[in-house]
Amino acid sequence: MNELACLVQQTADRLAGRHVGAVVAGLAGGVVEIRGAGRTGPGGGVPGPRTLFEIGSVTKVFTSLALARLALDGAVRLDDPLAEVLTGPSGGPAVVPAKGREPITLRHLATHTSGLPRLPRGMALQSLLSPNMPDPYAGCTAERVLDGLARTRLRSAPGRGFRYSNLGAGLLGLALAQRSGLGYEELVAREVGAPLGLADTGLRPDGERSARLAHGHTPGGRPVPPWTFAAVPGMGGLRSTAADLAVFLRAQLAAVREPDAPLSPAIALTRETRHRVNPFAWTHLGWLGHRLRAQQGGHLQIWHNGGTGGFRSFVAFDPEKQVGVVVLVNTRRSADPAGTALLRELQNGFATAG
């Protein structure tokens, strides 16, 4: 086993000690290593590259990449007001809250600068962790979400500040699906999955794929039913595999070096857009970014994490050093520290010129 494979396997083994199961991918020097440890669920085997996990909010980077693709095709503009793209329950324009002179735009939704709250109206953060509400988004029909949106008060004026919003990302996915005339799953498949050849990234695994789906668990090891996200899957509804996410990261790393690759122009557009959060951190379209302090190596890290009732995910890369990591676990306990530690090891020991 080569050094990269050893590091990846060690990370998976450590995670399996705290989670039911884990799959980890490491990308460095054009090489991809994927290793698993633990189990997929009760009576299940060791998870592997093609095991399906709920990826939670990592979905948002797919939603934002679909936005970039549609913007380059002229189907939408990044600065289109949401009210001009999103259709309301009656078939006319949706009622969108306002504050100040600038309306909420698609760019604001993708960079979490819309001023919208984190959750749809009527949902409390505690409901996401309640054992009595295993799928808190099940009731988020389009009618309920849009009715709640019309009665929502913005926390800040659009474009003024960063405020992470699941609601905003869900509305972005819904608006793009409406504009394209497709369901959200079909939109992501057309704009992202097909160009990259992603075989297993979608909302509803069926047939042979359903047999490869890991089972989610609480930190105490209790099984958790899957989350659906109803009419707003763009905030967190995708399921994927380490193999698909490694392909996705390879496209992110190659975008500058291979400008003619199918998704490179859209990937470049996602990273050209930047909203400063603080002196060291910012948001792109979909992604979060920061640069480590000089004493920590000064490395660039672009990342997103995710979580549902029984899963956690972490995806990160450094386009300058050409390294990346994917961590998927089937327990509701953060995988971020392990993913971050592996990324820094790759940045320090496996980096190549970007």
Side-chain angles (χ1 to χ4, degrees), residues 291-310:
R291 188 173 290 279
L292 300 180
R293 297 174 185 273
Q295 58 267 36
Q296 298 173 306
H299 299 306
L300 172 63
Q301 297 181 340
I302 300 175
W303 63 282
H304 212 296
N305 59 5
T308 61

Side-chain angles (χ1 to χ4, degrees), residues 235-271:
M235 69 170 73
L238 287 176
R239 293 164 172 82
S240 191
T241 65
D244 269 12
L245 292 172
V247 172
F248 185 74
L249 278 193
R250 290 186 78 165
Q252 297 287 332
L253 294 174
V256 174
R257 296 181 291 105
E258 301 174 18
D260 296 327
L263 293 187
S264 290
I267 290 170
L269 179 58
T270 64
R271 298 217 289 264

Side-chain angles (χ1 to χ4, degrees), residues 137-184:
Y137 293 103
C140 289
T141 64
E143 184 174 2
R144 289 184 64 180
V145 170
L146 293 173
D147 176 68
L149 175 66
R151 296 181 290 111
T152 294
R153 295 181 61 183
L154 298 186
R155 274 38 175 185
S156 58
R160 293 293 299 274
F162 173 80
R163 184 181 293 273
Y164 191 88
S165 175
N166 281 328
L167 173 59
L171 291 169
L172 177 60
L174 179 60
L176 296 179
Q178 289 179 346
R179 174 57 61 91
S180 67
L182 300 171
Y184 176 80

Side-chain angles (χ1 to χ4, degrees), residues 53-67:
F53 291 75
E54 295 179 10
I55 63 172
S57 287
V58 173
T59 298
K60 293 177 173 67
V61 301
F62 286 84
T63 303
S64 294
L65 186 53
L67 166 63

Side-chain angles (χ1 to χ4, degrees), residues 187-225:
L187 172 66
V188 169
R190 185 186 75 182
E191 299 298 336
V192 182
L196 293 180
L198 304 183
D200 292 318
T201 300
L203 297 179
R204 295 172 292 274
D206 53 10
E208 181 270 336
R209 291 187 182 90
S210 64
R212 293 189 275 116
L213 184 63
H215 300 277
H217 299 79
T218 67
R222 184 172 54 189
V224 177

Side-chain angles (χ1 to χ4, degrees), residues 12-23 36-47 53 214-224 310-312 328-333:
D13 290 340
R14 285 195 296 270
L15 283 163
R18 301 182 66 246
H19 301 266
V20 174
V23 180
R39 53 192 172 88
T40 58
V46 178
F53 291 75
H215 300 277
H217 299 79
T218 67
R222 184 172 54 189
V224 177
F311 295 85
R312 288 293 185 268
L328 302 173
V329 298
N330 59 337
T331 307
R332 194 181 66 215
R333 179 183 284 130

Side-chain angles (χ1 to χ4, degrees), residues 48-124:
R50 300 179 67 236
T51 302
L52 282 147
F53 291 75
E54 295 179 10
I55 63 172
S57 287
V58 173
T59 298
K60 293 177 173 67
V61 301
F62 286 84
T63 303
S64 294
L65 186 53
L67 166 63
R69 290 268 289 176
L70 293 178
L72 290 176
D73 287 343
V76 297
R77 296 174 302 141
L78 296 183
D79 294 317
D80 277 343
L82 174 62
E84 295 182 7
V85 183
L86 185 64
T87 301
S90 63
V95 178
V96 177
K99 188 171 187 176
R101 291 181 293 180
E102 188 171 359
I104 295 173
T105 67
L106 304 184
R107 186 193 303 270
H108 294 147
L109 297 176
T111 56
H112 299 284
T113 56
S114 66
L116 287 166
R118 184 182 183 93
L119 297 172
R121 187 179 176 88
M123 284 187 64

